[in-house]
Amino acid sequence: MALLVTGTPAANAAEAQAPDVRWAHSASGDLGTLEVGISSDSAITGIRAHIVSAATQQEVAVVEYEAFGLASGTADNGVWRTKQPLDLAHLGRYDVRVEATDADGDRTVDNSAGTLAYYVAAVFEGVRPDRTEIDTDHRQVRVDGTLKGRWPATRELKPLADHRVDLDVDYWTENTVRTDVEGHFSGTVTVNDAVSVQAVYRHDNANPYVLYGESESTQIDIRQVVTRWTFQAPAEARTIDFGDEVAVTATLERETPQGWVPFEGQSGGVLYEASSGGNWTSVGYFTTGADGKAAAFTHTPGETGTFRMASHSDDPFIASASANSAEITVLRASLFTSFSATRTQDRGVHVEGSMDFPDNWTPADIPVHIQYSRDGKRWTDLLTTQAGAGDGHAFSADIADARAGYFRAHFDKTESFRAATSEVVRVSR
């Protein structure tokens, strides 16, 4: 009887991985140099790049493996770069088709690996503005520089003659000039704010093979016109009664090389600011005249404070200015509506009276000083009592063993109220 023997086939070897051509393009900053990114399961041993005109689809060059060097990564996963820039007959865009082989003998052909941008790179040299600070009378900035091109085959910088250069202010083109035979250019821009200035080369149909380029930007700052306010009224600190009107006049000046001069045509407003903080009142608005003066204003302050003049211009070349006047102290009226002093049976004196504060405010605390004088001229405080908070603000006090003489009541001045003194009463023995 024959014996049938069966067996299991050997496992297939791992499937080989063909090289993966990830991309191909011009090296950044070195447009004539070709870079190719390739990975595989073994080292790359062969590269051939076909350079094909994008316009005609004709092959113009073949780059062999020996022309490449490993620029970064590893032999099985790296970036390969040509050791020298390619020397092609014409500028333009080229398609790159890549054949890659690895150590296992696996081969890949990628007919759309990438693009070679075989163009001239625009390079600016020596770009400088003639000023980095402007003022309201000098807003023109001249920009000078040189435009050159870096040729892809040699990396040589050559002047680009008769090329357009945009002069940009804060990334907007304000002027366009042309280069001379040496690539030099010069032009002016008007600057109306704190901005950056830059020279830019943009695509031009007349020079289709020169790529975009830009210079370093330069910040242009503003030297503002300094302004100041001077008060003519109120010229010094003063005290007024509640309800009194105050006149306000002030002059705006600007600084010039010849000194301070009146500043016409500037707008602003006047406020009255309470010294206690937090409260303010709009007094009015103005535009300064030829003499620099704001319109004359009058205001009736409700409490102690200062006037504030402020001007602001939409022109960034003109500095804002503000100033506060001398302080106006506003005092409300206080008065004694009655006062009496009478002898008591125990040889003391009983005093009483009442007060009024007619300007609608009342002190939180109303100390009344009872005063004595032998001759009615020189006064001494005997005691202090409090006037009540109700209607009439009444007060009273008893003075023991009081001598004959003159008696009166006195309320001291406060931050908000004037002082008051009652009528004088003579008391005998």
Side-chain angles (χ1 to χ4, degrees):
M1 180 177 180
L3 179 64
L4 177 62
V5 178
T6 62
T8 302
N12 292 332
E15 184 177 349
Q17 177 185 336
D20 177 19
V21 179
R22 301 194 307 276
W23 47 261
H25 56 58
S26 295
S28 177
D30 190 7
L31 298 181
T33 297
L34 177 64
E35 287 184 337
V36 182
I38 309 175
S39 63
S40 189
D41 60 354
S42 61
I44 300 300
T45 57
I47 302 172
R48 176 178 289 173
H50 299 263
I51 311 302
V52 178
S53 169
T56 66
Q57 292 300 302
Q58 297 297 310
E59 184 175 285
V60 298
V62 177
V63 185
E64 301 290 352
Y65 177 67
E66 292 74 16
F68 288 95
L70 184 62
S72 63
T74 60
D76 61 353
N77 186 10
V79 175
W80 302 81
R81 181 182 297 163
T82 56
K83 299 172 185 177
Q84 296 295 329
L86 305 186
D87 188 3
L88 305 181
H90 302 288
L91 297 170
R93 186 174 70 86
Y94 293 88
D95 296 328
V96 181
R97 302 171 183 174
V98 176
E99 303 172 34
T101 306
D102 65 15
D104 296 332
D106 299 315
R107 179 174 176 271
T108 292
V109 176
D110 188 337
N111 288 324
S112 58
T115 300
L116 180 71
Y118 201 72
Y119 295 107
V120 174
V123 177
F124 284 96
E125 290 184 348
V127 176
R128 62 194 181 280
D130 66 343
R131 62 179 66 223
T132 56
E133 187 179 66
I134 53 177
D135 58 45
T136 188
D137 299 318
H138 304 91
R139 304 191 186 197
Q140 296 287 316
V141 176
R142 192 183 77 242
V143 181
D144 297 282
T146 301
L147 177 63
K148 293 183 178 181
R150 179 177 287 110
W151 257 251
T154 62
R155 304 180 180 131
E156 180 183 4
L157 284 173
K158 301 177 184 178
L160 294 179
D162 197 28
H163 281 57
R164 292 162 51 96
V165 173
D166 292 333
L167 303 181
D168 284 11
V169 175
D170 262 3
Y171 311 107
W172 289 93
T173 300
E174 295 294 336
N175 191 9
T176 299
V177 296
R178 300 196 77 88
T179 58
D180 63 15
V181 293
E182 299 296 330
H184 298 151
F185 62 88
S186 179
T188 60
V189 290
T190 299
V191 175
N192 291 311
D193 209 335
V195 295
S196 62
V197 172
Q198 187 178 32
V200 179
Y201 179 81
R202 293 182 170 91
H203 177 74
D204 184 353
N205 289 332
N207 301 284
Y209 301 122
V210 181
L211 292 185
Y212 175 92
E214 62 182 33
S215 71
E216 293 288 334
S217 63
T218 301
Q219 181 65 30
I220 307 297
D221 295 320
I222 288 177
R223 183 171 65 250
Q224 290 186 311
V225 174
V226 180
T227 60
R228 72 178 184 185
W229 281 102
T230 303
F231 278 89
Q232 284 73 54
E236 57 187 23
R238 54 189 285 202
T239 299
I240 63 171
D241 289 325
F242 177 78
D244 287 354
E245 195 174 68
V246 179
V248 186
T249 57
T251 301
L252 180 66
E253 296 175 298
R254 60 170 290 185
E255 189 178 30
T256 71
Q258 293 73 41
W260 292 94
V261 299
F263 202 0
E264 180 182 7
Q266 301 305 299
S267 299
V270 190
L271 300 177
Y272 186 78
E273 299 179 333
S275 297
S276 59
N279 296 328
W280 57 270
T281 303
S282 176
V283 176
Y285 301 92
F286 60 81
T287 299
T288 55
D291 57 0
K293 292 186 183 299
F297 295 92
T298 57
H299 181 65
T300 303
E303 57 185 305
T304 297
T306 59
F307 291 96
R308 183 174 183 83
M309 304 289 296
S311 55
H312 174 76
S313 175
D314 292 333
D315 187 338
F317 288 84
I318 298 173
S320 300
S322 62
N324 283 69
S325 71
E327 187 172 69
I328 305 298
T329 301
V330 179
L331 296 181
R332 295 172 183 258
S334 59
L335 56 92
F336 286 89
T337 56
S338 67
F339 179 73
S340 66
T342 57
R343 178 68 67 181
T344 62
Q345 291 183 353
D346 59 1
R347 303 186 61 78
V349 170
H350 176 77
V351 299
E352 62 182 45
S354 60
M355 292 192 70
D356 187 25
F357 301 93
D359 292 327
N360 299 321
W361 276 17
T362 302
D365 184 45
I366 311 176
V368 177
H369 306 288
I370 306 302
Q371 298 179 331
Y372 168 79
S373 173
R374 289 187 62 185
D375 56 8
K377 297 178 181 179
R378 291 167 295 180
W379 295 91
T380 302
D381 285 355
L382 294 179
L383 57 85
T384 300
T385 186
Q386 287 286 330
D391 291 342
H393 305 293
F395 61 91
S396 66
D398 290 300
I399 306 165
D401 298 325
R403 293 176 293 176
Y406 299 89
F407 293 83
R408 71 181 187 183
H410 180 76
F411 174 75
D412 285 338
K413 170 182 171 294
T414 71
E415 290 183 355
S416 302
F417 293 87
R418 287 197 178 274
T421 303
S422 72
E423 63 181 5
V424 177
V425 177
R426 185 177 184 279
V427 178
S428 63
R429 290 202 179 270

